[in-house]
Amino acid sequence: MQRNFLYMTVVTAMLIAAGNVCAGVYWLPDYLEKNMDRSNVSSDGGLSSDNRESGCPNGWLTEFEIEDKSCVLKGTFPWVGKCYGDCICDTSKYKYSKDNCSGENYLVGSKCSGDKEYYTECRNYCDEVTHNIINPDWGCEKTYDQCASKCEVPYEDNCHNRVHNEGNGYGCKPDGYYDDCSSKCEEPYEDNCHNRTDNSTEYGCQPDGEWDDCPSKCQYGAICSSRNCAEEGFNLLSCPSNATCTECSPGCGNSTKYYKFSMCEIGYFDMDSFFCNNNGAIEICTWSLP
């Protein structure tokens, strides 16, 4: 055969066609034989340089990547070898997914990605956290996000169960706070006497001189002794005729005189302390009531 004759060169290319390996026979002139470049074969042949760099096409896995998955062989490529897809994880080993491990449980261990992510272990958050309670009667302020049955932040006192008693606004007694809530008052002052001074003098307190918010203590002390004539029986504003009386003045600047009947004058008789009689002649002793 002469050199200018066409050399017959057989080129075998691996093509992606439904997982089958196809062979193509091409006749090339001898001047093109040395220029043959398999990287330029179309993507249908699976020989592009991009595919070589990225491993298996279409997200398929090599035989070294499938590990213990069950996969379907999708094709064989000269730059990477066999490629697999439609992988299913071995659920006898990878038993857990979000379908059967959620809520207070979480996925750990080796992972297998198939139709979903599978793991070899499923653990419970509650088994790994501490239940923090200071006093069972006070309760829990915040539970764990992944474990509602255990307390993360307990109440440090019982104030959330206590009502602050303000009373009349005079403050709380020193020992009037709750034993389990030092910031709220259980027993307040009923008046303001703990803040008031008793200003009574030796003569006592002026009339209506007590503190408005503490009636048991004197705000304005008396400067003299004043008599309460009415309480002593001096109920008359004047003494009846034909009678003798005793008198009373309150004092302390009040010179008003009040009288109390004592007895009839000589020659008169006392009848029920209202009338004085002269030898049978009735003489009415008159007086004015206050």
Side-chain angles (χ1 to χ4, degrees), residues 59-131:
W60 296 335
L61 304 177
T62 67
E63 58 183 331
F64 304 104
E65 295 174 328
I66 63 173
E67 297 178 344
D68 49 5
K69 303 181 184 71
S70 297
C71 302
V72 176
L73 178 62
K74 293 296 185 179
T76 302
F77 303 90
W79 69 92
V80 71
K82 295 179 180 181
C83 289
Y84 298 85
D86 296 334
C87 296
I88 299 175
C89 294
D90 182 3
T91 54
S92 64
K93 178 180 179 181
Y94 298 92
K95 300 179 180 180
Y96 305 101
S97 67
K98 290 184 178 180
D99 293 340
N100 59 358
C101 184
S102 58
E104 293 185 353
N105 303 308
Y106 66 100
L107 297 162
V108 290
S110 300
K111 183 175 74 170
C112 175
S113 298
D115 57 328
K116 63 184 73 173
E117 291 187 346
Y118 293 87
Y119 289 81
T120 55
E121 296 181 57
C122 177
R123 294 181 185 174
N124 189 283
Y125 286 105
C126 294
D127 295 336
E128 301 178 0
V129 295
T130 303
H131 185 50

Side-chain angles (χ1 to χ4, degrees), residues 30-261:
D30 57 348
Y31 65 89
L32 291 178
E33 181 180 0
K34 295 181 181 180
N35 294 329
M36 186 176 62
D37 185 357
R38 289 182 175 84
S39 66
N40 293 326
V41 178
S42 69
S43 59
D44 291 339
L47 297 177
S48 70
S49 59
D50 291 339
N51 281 342
R52 289 192 212 176
E53 294 175 0
S54 60
C56 289
N58 303 322
W60 296 335
L61 304 177
T62 67
E63 58 183 331
F64 304 104
E65 295 174 328
I66 63 173
E67 297 178 344
D68 49 5
K69 303 181 184 71
S70 297
C71 302
V72 176
L73 178 62
K74 293 296 185 179
T76 302
F77 303 90
W79 69 92
V80 71
K82 295 179 180 181
C83 289
Y84 298 85
D86 296 334
C87 296
I88 299 175
C89 294
D90 182 3
T91 54
S92 64
K93 178 180 179 181
Y94 298 92
K95 300 179 180 180
Y96 305 101
S97 67
K98 290 184 178 180
D99 293 340
N100 59 358
C101 184
S102 58
E104 293 185 353
N105 303 308
Y106 66 100
L107 297 162
V108 290
S110 300
K111 183 175 74 170
C112 175
S113 298
D115 57 328
K116 63 184 73 173
E117 291 187 346
Y118 293 87
Y119 289 81
T120 55
E121 296 181 57
C122 177
R123 294 181 185 174
N124 189 283
Y125 286 105
C126 294
D127 295 336
E128 301 178 0
V129 295
T130 303
H131 185 50
N132 302 310
I133 284 293
I134 297 175
N135 187 314
D137 294 333
W138 299 351
C140 182
E141 185 173 0
K142 181 183 181 298
T143 59
Y144 292 95
D145 292 338
Q146 297 86 4
C147 180
S149 62
K150 285 190 176 181
C151 184
E152 181 178 10
V153 182
Y155 282 109
E156 297 181 356
D157 53 36
N158 201 28
C159 289
H160 59 289
N161 289 324
R162 297 302 186 189
V163 177
H164 182 58
N165 189 354
E166 295 184 358
N168 295 320
Y170 299 128
C172 192
K173 294 180 179 180
D175 56 351
Y177 294 91
Y178 291 98
D179 293 337
D180 54 8
C181 177
S182 59
S183 63
K184 290 186 178 181
C185 183
E186 181 179 13
E187 187 177 356
Y189 285 107
E190 296 178 358
D191 52 38
N192 202 27
C193 289
H194 59 290
N195 290 324
R196 297 304 185 191
T197 301
D198 188 1
N199 298 317
S200 297
T201 67
E202 58 180 318
Y203 303 110
C205 192
Q206 292 185 20
D208 300 324
E210 296 82 6
W211 293 96
D212 292 337
D213 53 8
C214 177
S216 64
K217 289 185 178 181
C218 182
Q219 182 178 10
Y220 304 107
I223 58 176
C224 61
S225 178
S226 178
R227 295 178 64 184
N228 191 328
C229 294
E231 288 184 357
E232 297 179 26
F234 294 90
N235 299 314
L236 303 176
L237 294 177
S238 62
C239 186
S241 301
N242 306 317
T244 58
C245 299
T246 56
E247 63 181 41
C248 171
S249 293
C252 291
N254 186 353
S255 59
T256 303
K257 292 183 179 182
Y258 299 92
Y259 299 89
K260 181 167 56 175
F261 176 80

